[in-house]
Amino acid sequence: MSEAEARPALWHEMETNYSRSPIHRGLGLSLRVVGEGEVVVDYDGSEGASNRRGNAAGGAMAEMIDSAAMQACRTMLAPKDFNTTL
């Protein structure tokens, strides 16, 4: 199986593992891989990511953006490769 053929399985694994991450679960985030280089990070309105007004807090929004960029990059990597954010 080529790397390109293995990607959908890797993407499914990414989605599954994302939902197991304590930070993502706590913020009410979930991941959908749309395709190579493209993901959607959904926010469920969880209080864990809200400020006292009930809006998504700026730090939670920053995590969503950071996470989406990182996960989109991961869709283009080989299974043995990894990336990180600052």
Side-chain angles (χ1 to χ4, degrees):
M1 179 183 302
S2 73
E3 263 185 41
E5 293 170 328
R7 286 182 192 237
L10 176 63
W11 296 343
H12 177 71
E13 183 180 334
M14 286 172 58
E15 292 170 340
T16 301
N17 288 338
Y18 193 91
S19 66
R20 293 180 181 147
S21 167
I23 190 167
H24 300 134
R25 199 172 50 247
L27 292 175
L29 305 179
S30 60
L31 176 71
R32 288 184 291 128
V33 177
V34 177
E36 188 172 310
E38 189 175 356
V39 302
V40 174
V41 173
D42 289 309
Y43 167 57
D44 70 2
S46 171
E47 287 187 19
S50 299
N51 61 24
R52 65 179 180 216
R53 293 183 182 162
N55 300 320
M61 296 296 288
E63 168 56 27
M64 290 179 223
I65 294 165
D66 181 68
S67 181
M70 196 274 258
Q71 297 299 326
C73 290
R74 282 191 67 207
T75 66
M76 298 184 285
L77 297 176
K80 67 182 182 328
D81 295 335
F82 67 95
N83 61 343
T84 189
T85 64
L86 298 175

